[in-house]
Amino acid sequence: MAYEMILVETPAPGVGLVRLNRPSALNALNSQITREVFDALEAFDRDPAIKCCILTGSDKAFAAGADIKEMENTDAVTMLSGGDFTDWSRLSRLRKPLIAAVSGWALGGGCEMVMMCDMIVASETAKFGQPEITIGIMPGAGGTQRLTRAVGKALAMEVMLANRHLTAQEALHYGLANKVAPVESYQAEALALAQKIAAMPAVAAQLIKDSINRAYELSLSESLNYEKRNFYLLFGTEDKAEGMKAFVEKRKPEWKDR
Ligand code: DAK
C-alpha cells in the first residue's frame, strides 16, 4: 500500500516498523497520518511473517499531538460522528506486541498513542506530556486513564493540569518506559527488544499480551480466570508440544507459530 505520511520497513526478520514521517509539523497526528499508522500496523498484524512491531517517529519528535490546525475547525457533532480521527481503539485491538521507540516530543495524542503501545523504549531526550488544557481541551484518547494508572493520581494531575512534562528518566522510574538509551541508540535498543520477542512462539506471545491487557480491564478474579483459559488454550498448540519436547531433548525449539 502507498503511504504519504509514514514510512514502513521490515528492519529485521519478523519485525515490522512504522515511522511517523511528517517533519514539517513535528509529526502532528492528523486524520491521514493516523489512518496510515493504523492501516500499516493492522497489515503487519495480519502478516504471519511479522511477529513484533515498532512504532516510532523522528529523533526530534515522536509526535507533538493531534493536529491542532485540523481540530481547530472541528465541532462536537463531527467528533461524535466518528471517523479516522476518533477511532484510535484500532491500535489497542492489535494482537501482536507493539513497541514504541520514542525520542523528543510525545505530547497530547502523541503521548496517548505511545501509551497504547505495549512497551516503550525512550531516548534520553524524550518528553512526555498532556498539554491539551493549554488549548482549552483535555486528553481524549486515554491520557487521563493510562497516565494515571502509570504514574499515580498526584503526578497525573500535575501533568494534565499544569502542563508538566515527564522526562525519559521519570518515565522509566514510573514504569511507563522499559528502557532509556542515548538518542544515537534508542532505535537499535527497540529493534533488539523486538527481535527477542520475534524469536518467541507467536501464539503464546499473542495470548500473553492479551492476558496482561485484561489486568487493566477486569477484576482480579475475572482476569485470573481469563489467564487460565488462555493458558489452557496454549496446550492445543504445536509450539507447546515442540517447546516442551525441545526442553526434554536439550535442544533449541523450532517454532511453527501454530
Ligand atoms: N498540531 C499542528 N501543528 C503542530 C503541532 C500540532 N499539535 N505541533 C507542532 N506543530 C507545527 C507548528 O505549528 C509548526 O509549524 P509551522 O508554524 O512551522 O508551519 C511546526 O510544527 C514546528 O512547531 P513549533 O515551531 O511550535 O516548534 P517548537 O520547537 O517551538 O515547539 C512544541 C515544539 C511541541 C512545544 C510546540 O510545537 C507545541 O506546543 N505543539 C503543540 C502541542 C500540543 O498542544 N499538543 C496537544 C494537541 S491536542 C482523540 C485522539 C487524540 C487526541 C484527542 C482525542 N480521540 C481518539 C478522541 C489528541 C489531542 C491532542 O493531541
Side-chain angles (χ1 to χ4, degrees):
M1 199 182 295
Y3 298 111
E4 291 173 0
M5 294 191 173
I6 60 169
L7 302 171
V8 176
E9 303 162 32
T10 313
V15 179
L17 183 143
V18 173
R19 185 183 301 282
L20 298 157
N21 186 33
R22 199 187 170 207
S24 61
L26 299 178
N27 291 331
L29 302 162
N30 63 9
S31 307
Q32 180 177 346
I33 195 169
T34 308
R35 181 175 60 247
E36 290 187 8
V37 166
F38 299 158
D39 286 350
L41 287 172
E42 283 170 357
F44 278 142
D45 216 45
R46 287 189 299 269
D47 181 348
I50 298 298
K51 298 178 65 174
C52 185
C53 292
I54 298 172
L55 176 59
T56 192
S58 68
D59 292 348
K60 193 173 171 191
F62 176 83
D67 191 320
I68 299 168
K69 293 166 191 168
E70 187 180 62
M71 283 190 296
E72 188 188 359
N73 298 313
T74 305
D75 59 22
V77 176
T78 311
M79 282 285 188
L80 274 171
S81 66
D84 296 321
F85 180 75
T86 45
D87 190 16
W88 282 35
S89 59
R90 288 174 70 187
L91 207 49
S92 42
R93 286 198 296 271
L94 296 171
R95 294 165 304 133
K96 294 176 184 169
L98 173 61
I99 299 167
V102 182
S103 187
W105 301 111
L107 299 180
C111 186
E112 291 172 308
M113 191 172 264
V114 159
M115 291 191 292
M116 290 174 86
C117 297
D118 302 313
M119 285 156 281
I120 299 174
V121 176
S123 91
E124 286 166 347
T125 67
K127 288 173 285 287
F128 303 85
Q130 298 286 166
E132 288 87 344
I133 195 166
T134 66
I135 53 168
I137 58 170
M138 62 176 281
T144 61
Q145 305 306 303
R146 292 195 176 94
L147 192 71
T148 305
R149 284 165 198 232
V151 306
K153 176 178 163 180
L155 184 53
M157 287 281 184
E158 192 181 342
V159 168
M160 284 175 254
L161 294 175
N163 191 21
R164 148 98 135 90
H165 293 159
L166 296 179
T167 63
Q169 283 303 336
E170 286 174 320
L172 184 67
H173 172 78
Y174 287 103
L176 191 67
N178 295 67
K179 199 179 230 317
V180 177
V183 70
E184 297 77 22
S185 59
Y186 76 102
Q187 294 272 339
E189 292 284 354
L191 181 57
L193 179 57
Q195 285 180 283
K196 266 191 191 168
I197 295 167
M200 302 295 177
V203 184
Q206 181 186 324
L207 294 186
I208 289 169
K209 166 174 171 160
D210 180 45
S211 300
I212 291 174
N213 282 332
R214 291 313 121 198
Y216 289 95
E217 284 155 21
L218 303 175
S219 70
L220 182 60
S221 60
E222 286 169 318
S223 52
L224 287 172
N225 221 0
Y226 195 91
E227 177 198 70
K228 208 182 305 168
R229 280 162 198 274
N230 276 347
F231 173 76
Y232 293 154
L233 198 52
L234 288 173
F235 278 67
T237 63
E238 290 178 28
D239 285 340
K240 174 263 172 190
E242 166 64 6
M244 295 196 180
K245 191 161 186 276
F247 177 83
V248 172
E249 293 172 0
K250 299 186 187 300
R251 60 173 173 82
K252 260 189 91 181
E254 286 177 34
W255 305 125
K256 299 276 188 306
D257 297 330
R258 299 186 58 80

